[in-house]
């Protein structure tokens, strides 16, 4: 299938669907996107409908050339060029004031627009060949884990969209870092592979939206999408935090108790701990030494637990250098902020 995805004829066909107002899912380096023509209000409305997504939750506009950003931004905030030079194409989304070319349907009614230039070669070819800018949120049903392969997209959106470009499994596995440039100091609205430290090396001071750090529900995240329950598996997920020994023995005990009362239990284990668990559906997310693997495998594992029908899930907690912060952000949301310290 990967062969097919780079096939020019296939991308021509996908581009024609976009120009005709239809929807095509496509691979990017972060997760699969559900694409439509960013300038076509009815395409954006179709995206919301296919995902079951609230229409006040704006879409990210995907471009393949910097000039496209200039075409839709009302002004370019001072840090734009430096950040684009440093991290585009790549897993960073910039929020800038929009001009009248981008319809409010695409920006969820906001006067700013989120823009990203993906690095995935299929995504880039697809956008270029379509001749359009492509509005795309993650290609999952709203509330489910984001899709990291074409099969996940198929499970959620079959019959609701015109096509899927299969590019195999994605590389990063977590959504882009969103950086808001519309209000002075660059502010991270969603953590991702590009970290605060990486951004600061380029533009100096960078803030993190207090709404995504606070456990207090009154402090609302600025990105509408970060306010909704998200990344949720069907089973009830709890993160267990502490020393490896304490975590393993807590999870073993809790699993035994739950299974004794007839519950199906899933465990998110690591290479280092997998052999220490005694019962339940044990899925290994990767080595603790390899943050990239943990990021890449997280959503697939949450989906796998849905298929297995587990009712309770226990996950180990992960350290937060680099992309670890994004991993824990997604895991916290999947767990509805339920963490037990042992
Ligand atoms: P998704 O593409 O599904 O990962 O979702 C896009 C994310 O970007 C959501 O969390 C949106 O709320 C956020 N977003 C998109 N445009 C804007 C904007 N103009 N201002 C703030 N957040 C935005
Ligand atoms: Mg999403």
């Amino acid at each position: 299938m990967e062969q097919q995805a780079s096939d020019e004829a296939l991308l021509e066909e996908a581009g024609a669907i976009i120009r005709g107002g239809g929807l095509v899912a496509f691979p990017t380096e972060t997760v699969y996107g559900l694409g439509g023509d960013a300038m076509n209000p009815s395409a954006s409305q179709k995206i919301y409908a296919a995902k079951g997504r609230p229409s006040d939750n704006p879409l990210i506009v995907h471009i393949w050339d910097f000039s496209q950003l200039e075409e839709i931004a009302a002004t370019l905030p001072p840090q734009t060029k430096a950040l684009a030079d440093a991290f585009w194409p790549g897993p960073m989304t910039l929020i800038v004031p929009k001009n009248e070319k981008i319809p409010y349907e695409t920006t969820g009614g906001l006067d700013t627009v989120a823009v990203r230039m993906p690095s995935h070669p299929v995504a880039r070819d697809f956008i270029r060949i379509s001749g359009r800018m492509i509005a795309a949120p993650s290609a999952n049903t709203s509330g489910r884990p984001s899709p990291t392969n074409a099969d996940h997209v198929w499970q959620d959106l079959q019959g609701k969209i015109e096509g899927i470009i299969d590019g195999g499994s994605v590389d990063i596995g977590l959504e882009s870092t969103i950086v808001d440039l519309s209000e002075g100091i660059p502010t991270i609205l969603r953590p991702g592979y590009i970290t605060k430290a990486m951004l600061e090396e380029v533009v100096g001071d960078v803030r993190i939206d207090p709404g995504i750090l606070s456990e207090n529900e009154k402090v609302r995240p600025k990105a509408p999408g970060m306010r909704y329950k998200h990344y949720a598996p069907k089973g009830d997920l709890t993160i267990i935090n502490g020393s490896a020994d304490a975590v393993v023995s807590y999870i073993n005990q809790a699993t035994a108790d739950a299974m004794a009362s007839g519950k199906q239990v899933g465990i998110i284990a690591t290479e280092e701990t997998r052999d220490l668990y005694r019962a339940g559906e044990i899925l290994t997310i990767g080595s603790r030494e390899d943050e990239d693997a943990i990021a890449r495998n997280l959503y697939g594992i949450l989906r796998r637990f849905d298929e297995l029908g587990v009712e309770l899930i226990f996950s180990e907690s992960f350290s937060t250098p680099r992309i670890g912060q994004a991993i824990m952000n997604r895991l916290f949301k999947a767990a509805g902020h339920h963490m037990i310290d042992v």
Side-chain angles (χ1 to χ4, degrees):
M1 285 304 255
E2 264 168 84
Q3 195 54 42
Q4 264 195 13
S6 57
D7 181 344
E8 188 95 1
L10 186 101
L11 295 181
E12 284 292 356
E13 199 184 318
I17 293 172
I18 295 294
R19 290 190 298 279
L23 306 185
V24 178
F26 63 102
T28 81
E29 70 278 20
T30 59
V31 300
Y32 272 71
L34 174 57
D37 178 355
M39 305 284 189
N40 180 341
S42 97
S44 292
Q45 282 163 342
K46 280 191 205 165
I47 290 175
Y48 294 116
K51 281 179 61 85
R53 175 175 176 131
S55 59
D56 64 349
N57 188 2
L59 310 175
I60 293 174
V61 176
H62 291 69
I63 61 175
W64 70 277
D65 190 78
F66 189 81
S67 64
Q68 294 176 302
L69 171 62
E70 295 171 314
E71 199 182 322
I72 59 176
T75 57
L76 285 189
Q79 309 88 346
T80 310
K81 193 78 177 73
L83 287 174
D85 283 347
F87 301 115
W88 276 355
M92 173 187 72
T93 296
L94 296 179
I95 295 190
V96 300
K98 82 176 208 43
N99 66 22
E100 69 296 335
K101 286 195 184 164
I102 287 288
Y104 282 114
E105 283 77 0
T106 298
T107 66
L110 299 176
D111 286 312
T112 53
V113 61
V115 182
R116 181 164 102 81
M117 188 191 294
S119 64
H120 195 297
V122 174
R124 289 175 64 74
D125 287 348
F126 170 49
I127 301 165
R128 181 177 49 78
I129 290 172
S130 77
R132 297 287 191 273
M133 297 182 218
I134 301 210
S138 50
N140 53 303
T141 298
S142 196
R144 293 211 71 201
S146 294
T148 53
N149 62 39
D151 189 49
H152 296 159
V153 179
W154 176 253
Q155 286 164 16
D156 282 12
L157 299 177
Q158 58 175 300
K160 298 180 176 170
I161 62 179
E162 280 74 22
I164 302 175
I165 303 170
D166 189 343
S169 288
V170 302
D171 186 27
I172 295 177
L174 297 180
E175 303 84 348
S176 59
T177 305
I178 300 181
V179 185
D180 183 8
L181 297 181
S182 70
E183 290 189 288
I185 299 176
T187 304
I188 296 174
L189 303 189
R190 177 173 73 184
Y193 187 83
I194 307 290
T195 61
K196 181 169 184 275
M198 290 160 78
L199 297 165
E200 280 179 334
E201 269 188 37
V202 179
V203 290
D205 217 11
V206 172
R207 298 190 326 137
I208 299 186
D209 176 13
I212 62 172
L213 295 176
S214 175
E215 304 257 324
N216 179 351
E217 302 210 336
K218 290 199 187 103
V219 186
R220 287 179 25 116
K222 186 173 178 199
M226 300 296 277
R227 297 177 199 144
Y228 298 106
K229 186 169 189 279
H230 215 157
Y231 316 117
K234 291 172 189 154
D236 214 343
L237 170 64
T238 305
I239 303 165
I240 312 300
N241 182 46
S243 70
D245 286 354
V247 167
V248 168
S249 63
Y250 181 95
I251 292 179
N252 274 329
Q253 187 61 52
T255 301
D257 293 348
M259 290 177 74
S261 62
K263 290 222 164 81
Q264 301 236 58
V265 180
I267 298 173
I268 301 183
T270 49
E271 302 281 0
E272 290 81 359
T273 56
R274 62 198 287 177
D275 295 333
L276 303 173
Y277 292 110
R278 291 197 287 271
E281 297 284 357
I282 302 157
L283 299 184
T284 304
I285 195 166
S287 164
R288 294 199 152 271
E289 307 293 305
D290 186 355
E291 283 194 305
D292 290 349
I294 293 174
R296 198 181 305 124
N297 293 328
L298 176 63
Y299 289 148
I301 282 189
L302 296 178
R303 281 180 178 261
R304 183 76 191 119
F305 281 135
D306 286 353
E307 286 164 14
L308 292 168
V310 302
E311 298 156 88
L312 286 181
I313 304 167
F314 296 108
S315 177
E316 299 177 12
S317 157
F318 303 99
S319 57
T320 55
R322 277 198 328 112
I323 197 175
Q325 190 183 26
I327 295 168
M328 287 309 291
N329 168 266
R330 307 311 194 270
L331 199 55
F332 261 114
K333 295 196 76 182
H337 285 268
H338 192 196
M339 181 162 94
I340 294 175
D341 288 304
V342 293

